[in-house]
Amino acid sequence: QVQLVESGGGLVQPGGSLTLSCAASRNIVSFNGMRWYRQVPGKEREWISTITRGGSTSYADSAKGRFTISRDNAKNTMCLQMNSLRPEDTAVYYCNAYLFPSEYWGQGTRVIVSS
């Protein structure tokens, strides 16, 4: 069973930065890729970013230019560097790993952007 554990959430002022981490219980290069999602209560989970096994990255429009996804294969960890945070970035952020046809989720880490 794969376990994904997110960390790094918290309270940050608008314009500030946070780095989220996702630690996996297995070698992350075994996955086809990994993703970050976020969810606000009452809304659908929103895809934020993907990093594939080959290292290709993609971002939602809401994240482009502000967020950077990365991974450390040696530590089996994926990260999301978030800069220029806005109040609308407030959400629970989830780590996802996929190895077709399966996918795995973390428990989420809460980010609050507020002054």
Side-chain angles (χ1 to χ4, degrees), residues 14-74:
S17 298
L18 276 178
T19 299
L20 306 182
S21 296
C22 172
S25 61
R26 64 185 275 183
N27 193 332
I28 62 173
V29 298
S30 67
F31 301 123
N32 294 120
M34 299 184 73
R35 306 174 178 127
W36 285 100
Y37 287 79
R38 67 187 182 189
Q39 189 168 24
V40 175
K43 294 189 176 182
E44 291 188 357
R45 195 166 291 188
E46 174 191 14
W47 169 75
I48 298 301
S49 184
T50 298
I51 185 164
T52 68
R53 177 187 290 155
S56 298
T57 59
S58 54
Y59 299 90
D61 287 344
S62 60
K64 283 179 183 176
R66 300 188 301 128
F67 294 1
T68 303
I69 192 171
S70 64
R71 68 182 186 208
D72 185 332
N73 295 340

